[in-house]
């Protein structure tokens, strides 16, 4: 069983992460919801997956089956609604966070961390650059965004502490709890592909460039707020 914690993310941080680590485009098409299960198809550029999520006694169980890309395209054509996003896998100690830049049906930025158990999930302390936690708010799941949309546009404040925390993450420096809270076994199945993505041609992070880019983004955000 995979347990997820989900957080909002400021757009400038998401863009910086994708610039430094790249990303993989995903399109997910969701079938109409059922009482005790949900199903959807995911297209990851050259890979197709059919996913079924059921509610069991121990929580939600997710099974996925790889399908030909042509079949994935055909299933997307008959899905009720879609969500289109770019995903970047980002190591956090012994775990991986997934940064999603959603572009359709609306623009939204999320960061998700996966765990093997509720104990590990509860022990994890969010990093400073994470925004507000929305794990228990079903509106922020991909399924809900695709099928029901999302009305509000949450504002996420920027700070020097958050920027420094993100720079530490990009340079593989983390608080001790981030290294110890998550069992390495949590990187099974869904993380295997993400790990391969991050291990290939990882761009070297230039601290000065990051700080300059983020200061420009922060200035634009502040100026926009003043003008409004």
């Amino acid at each position: 069983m995979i347990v997820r914690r989900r957080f909002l993310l400021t757009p400038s941080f998401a863009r910086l992460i994708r610039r430094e680590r790249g990303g993989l485009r995903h399109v997910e098409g969701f079938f109409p919801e059922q009482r005790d299960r949900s199903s959807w198809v995911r297209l990851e550029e050259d890979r197709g997956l059919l996913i079924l999520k059921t509610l069991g006694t121990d929580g939600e169980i997710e099974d996925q089956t790889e399908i030909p890309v042509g079949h994935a395209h055909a299933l997307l054509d008959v899905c009720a609604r879609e969500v289109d996003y770019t995903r970047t896998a980002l190591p956090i100690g012994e775990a991986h966070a997934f940064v999603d830049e959603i572009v359709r049906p609306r623009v939204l930025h999320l960061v998700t961390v996966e765990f093997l158990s509720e104990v590990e999930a509860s022990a994890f302390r969010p990093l400073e650059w994470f925004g507000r936690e929305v794990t228990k708010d079903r509106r922020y799941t991909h399924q809900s965004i695709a099928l029901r949309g999302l009305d509000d546009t949450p504002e996420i404040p920027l700070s020097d502490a958050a920027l420094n925390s993100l720079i530490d993450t990009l340079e593989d420096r983390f608080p001790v709890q981030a290294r110890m809270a998550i069992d390495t076994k949590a990187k099974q199945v869904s993380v295997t592909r993400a790990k391969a993505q991050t291990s290939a041609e990882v761009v070297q992070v230039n601290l000065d460039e990051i700080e300059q880019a983020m200061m420009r983004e922060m200035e634009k955000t502040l100026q926009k707020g003043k003008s409004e």
Side-chain angles (χ1 to χ4, degrees), residues 189-205:
V189 186
S190 62
V191 177
T192 302
R193 182 172 174 81
K195 184 176 180 181
Q197 172 191 336
T198 56
S199 63
E201 299 182 6
V202 175
V203 179
Q204 293 297 320
V205 177

Side-chain angles (χ1 to χ4, degrees), residues 20-62:
E20 296 300 326
R21 298 298 175 90
L24 183 66
R25 186 190 174 195
H26 292 59
V27 179
E28 291 182 338
F30 291 86
F31 298 99
E33 294 178 283
Q34 299 182 21
R35 183 175 181 180
D36 59 348
R37 67 182 61 195
S38 56
S39 56
W40 65 97
V41 59
R42 177 188 297 157
L43 181 62
E44 301 177 1
E45 295 187 357
D46 60 348
R47 183 180 185 225
L49 292 169
L50 185 60
I51 304 168
L52 174 65
K53 182 168 67 176
T54 56
L55 183 61
T57 55
D58 296 328
E60 293 181 339
I61 300 174
E62 204 171 281

Side-chain angles (χ1 to χ4, degrees):
M1 180 182 70
I2 296 177
V3 181
R4 297 180 176 90
R5 290 182 64 179
R6 186 178 298 107
F7 306 83
L8 297 176
L9 183 62
T10 186
S12 55
F13 283 6
R15 289 196 297 270
L16 175 61
I17 292 168
R18 177 164 52 85
R19 190 187 73 174
E20 296 300 326
R21 298 298 175 90
L24 183 66
R25 186 190 174 195
H26 292 59
V27 179
E28 291 182 338
F30 291 86
F31 298 99
E33 294 178 283
Q34 299 182 21
R35 183 175 181 180
D36 59 348
R37 67 182 61 195
S38 56
S39 56
W40 65 97
V41 59
R42 177 188 297 157
L43 181 62
E44 301 177 1
E45 295 187 357
D46 60 348
R47 183 180 185 225
L49 292 169
L50 185 60
I51 304 168
L52 174 65
K53 182 168 67 176
T54 56
L55 183 61
T57 55
D58 296 328
E60 293 181 339
I61 300 174
E62 204 171 281
D63 294 311
Q64 60 183 34
T65 302
E66 190 159 350
I67 60 176
V69 172
H71 293 185
H73 280 288
L75 289 171
L76 286 173
D77 288 339
V78 299
C79 285
R81 293 287 188 277
E82 295 179 2
V83 61
D84 191 340
Y85 61 98
T86 298
R87 167 164 286 187
T88 301
L90 186 65
I92 296 182
E94 296 296 338
H96 279 76
F98 299 95
V99 176
D100 292 343
E101 294 183 82
I102 300 174
V103 297
R104 182 169 60 91
R106 62 153 303 152
V107 175
L108 185 69
H109 302 82
L110 299 168
V111 56
T112 302
V113 187
E114 295 186 344
F115 309 87
L116 264 187
S117 68
E118 292 285 355
V119 173
E120 293 173 0
S122 299
F124 179 75
R125 185 181 304 166
L127 301 182
E128 193 75 28
W129 57 271
F130 288 13
R132 175 168 61 89
E133 184 164 9
V134 292
T135 301
K136 296 182 179 180
D137 192 334
R138 304 297 296 179
R139 296 178 303 162
Y140 292 96
T141 63
H142 287 178
Q143 182 180 30
S144 179
I145 293 170
L147 297 178
R148 288 181 289 276
L150 184 65
D151 295 330
D152 62 334
T153 304
E155 293 185 3
I156 307 163
L158 293 173
S159 68
D160 288 341
L163 173 58
N164 288 329
S165 174
L166 176 57
I167 292 172
D168 286 343
T169 301
L170 291 172
E171 295 212 330
D172 299 322
R173 298 196 302 266
F174 312 100
V176 173
Q177 65 85 25
R179 295 181 180 276
M180 299 177 61
I182 307 169
D183 195 296
T184 56
K185 294 181 181 179
K187 296 182 293 183
Q188 296 174 351
V189 186
S190 62
V191 177
T192 302
R193 182 172 174 81
K195 184 176 180 181
Q197 172 191 336
T198 56
S199 63
E201 299 182 6
V202 175
V203 179
Q204 293 297 320
V205 177
N206 185 302
L207 182 60
D208 293 334
E209 289 184 1
I210 293 175
E211 289 180 331
Q212 292 171 10
M214 289 310 306
M215 289 305 297
R216 288 195 296 269
E217 293 290 346
M218 292 174 72
E219 289 175 1
K220 290 179 182 178
T221 302
L222 291 173
Q223 290 173 0
K224 182 179 178 182
K226 292 179 180 178
S227 63
E228 295 176 350

